[in-house]
Amino acid sequence: MPAEAGVIRGGWEFVWAAYGVSAVILTGYAVSVIVRYRAERRRRGEVRP
Amino acid sequence: MKDDRLPYSLLGLGVALLLWGSYWGLFRAPAEAYMGDVQRIMYVHVPTAWNAMLALTFAFACALLSLLRGQAVWDARLEGALEVGVTLSALLCMQGAIWAKPTWGVWWDWDPRLTTTAVLVFAFGAILALRQFVDDPVKRATWAAVAVIIAYVDVPIVYFSVKWWNSLHQAQSTPETVSRAFHWPLRINAFGMLFLMSGLISLRARLALLRHEDETAPPLPEPALRTAGAARGAR
């Protein structure tokens, strides 16, 4: 099938890159917030280690 | 200490919705007529944009309330919303660069939308970083609130930049500008990101409040043993 002008073919690698970057950053940030919060509460003796 | 079930439930709900919406967007939604499969980046990029703006709008509201009421809780919420807003805005720029390469042929362009978003990341990121250098919690809350109110001017500029100037970036994604076939995965991911953002802001604000309580707590009395030892030495 001939390529049409102005139409993008393929590009799944960019789709996976965008979803991968989003997953890594959101997961990493969420883990960092939870770890910092739990460490602060543990330091104050509010939660068990 | 407040019950932590609400923020953790919001995080769980957000992750579940994002997984569902992303599955729909990646594997069930049709490809777009001109951009093909690359357009599937929209299902993660647009919800990130909406929620980054929402987080910074919440930071702006917290800044106003912090100045008006002077309560530490509003400064803690401001700090939480600011950190989450900056993280989402930085992620937004990365997703945009990845989408720009196959569609515009470049990773970055000094287009009005992209430039104003970069200014937004640096302005709010600088406020977040500079907070660390102010030891007095009252002064820190006051100047951070004033700085957030000034920096917030950029948020409507980012939103309307594609209308006001001749921009390479497409117009705002709304139900009128997006095909009905793409609505559901976009909505599911938008709500997923909203719940995730709310849970993260809530936890981060609680952490800021705990640190504020430590900063403003009166100094602990000297241990009784040390006092007794000193008294013996003086005899």
Side-chain angles (χ1 to χ4, degrees), chain A residues 5-18:
Chain A
V7 176
I8 299 169
R9 300 242 172 250
W12 271 101
E13 64 275 25
F14 292 101
V15 178
W16 290 122

Side-chain angles (χ1 to χ4, degrees), chain B residues 141-216:
Chain B
T142 306
W143 85 250
V146 172
V148 163
I149 289 167
I150 294 168
Y152 187 77
V153 170
D154 193 37
V155 172
I157 295 175
V158 169
Y159 187 77
F160 289 109
S161 58
V162 287
K163 278 191 175 176
W164 292 343
W165 296 295
N166 185 20
S167 177
L168 193 58
H169 195 283
Q170 68 190 59
Q172 294 101 334
S173 299
T174 64
E176 289 76 38
T177 60
V178 174
S179 166
R180 289 175 68 86
F182 307 145
H183 281 184
W184 275 107
L186 193 57
R187 281 182 183 149
I188 295 166
N189 269 0
F191 277 101
M193 198 69 88
L194 176 69
F195 291 130
L196 187 75
M197 177 199 75
S198 307
L200 287 172
I201 290 178
S202 174
L203 275 183
R204 185 61 186 79
R206 287 169 193 225
L207 171 63
L209 199 57
L210 288 178
R211 288 179 177 167
H212 176 84
E213 284 171 8
D214 276 355
E215 279 179 328
T216 52

